[in-house]
Amino acid sequence: MPNVTLIRSNLLAETPGYAYASAVEAGSRLVHLAGACPLDADGTVVPVGDYAGQAARCIENLNSALASAGGSLADVAYTRVLVATLRNEDLGTVWNVVREAFAGHEVPSTLFGVTVLGYRNQLVEIEAVAAVSE
């Protein structure tokens, strides 16, 4: 049985790509993941200037952190996606990568456009909360 149940509401607008809420099974261990950044093994931001590429790298790094905690993307109960941009198109580009990575697990998510992120050349960061089996 999954640790995370996605909740939809027929009282709210239908949203493509994410549920409005999620519930976590009792007995699951909550794992709060720091923002996954688009860093390679030596700490360099990659690929520079590429929203989709950085989103994909963030997902890779998020998967690694989840695996270290005993989980996977299917265990994620919430994400926050930060994108350094003022353009809706860039937000859409990043969101498409995130949505594809999560496939059928349309986790509740908040997508933000921000002015700057922590690393030089960083365009994307993804935070998550997961519910992992004990």
Side-chain angles (χ1 to χ4, degrees):
M1 180 152 106
N3 296 323
V4 177
T5 301
L6 300 178
I7 299 168
R8 305 201 185 270
S9 174
N10 61 2
L11 301 175
L12 300 169
E14 189 173 323
T15 56
Y18 67 94
Y20 276 107
S22 64
V24 173
E25 280 299 310
S28 298
R29 182 170 48 102
L30 280 184
V31 178
H32 296 263
L33 295 117
C37 298
L39 302 176
D40 66 10
D42 71 1
T44 301
V45 170
V46 293
V48 173
D50 181 353
Y51 285 95
Q54 286 196 18
R57 181 54 144 214
C58 288
I59 292 291
E60 287 176 37
N61 292 343
L62 182 65
N63 268 318
S64 295
L66 280 164
S68 295
S72 70
L73 290 179
D75 297 312
V76 173
Y78 177 78
T79 66
R80 180 176 295 121
V81 180
L82 304 133
V83 184
T85 188
L86 298 174
R87 295 170 14 106
N88 287 67
E89 296 82 4
D90 299 331
L91 293 169
T93 295
V94 169
W95 180 246
N96 287 337
V97 172
V98 171
R99 193 167 126 193
E100 183 177 315
F102 277 88
H105 184 59
E106 296 180 330
V107 61
S109 189
T110 303
L111 177 64
F112 287 95
V114 299
T115 56
V116 67
L117 291 166
Y119 292 97
R120 184 185 235 344
N121 297 316
Q122 182 182 0
L123 301 172
V124 181
E125 187 164 335
I126 303 172
E127 300 174 8
V129 176
V132 178
S133 296
E134 291 288 345

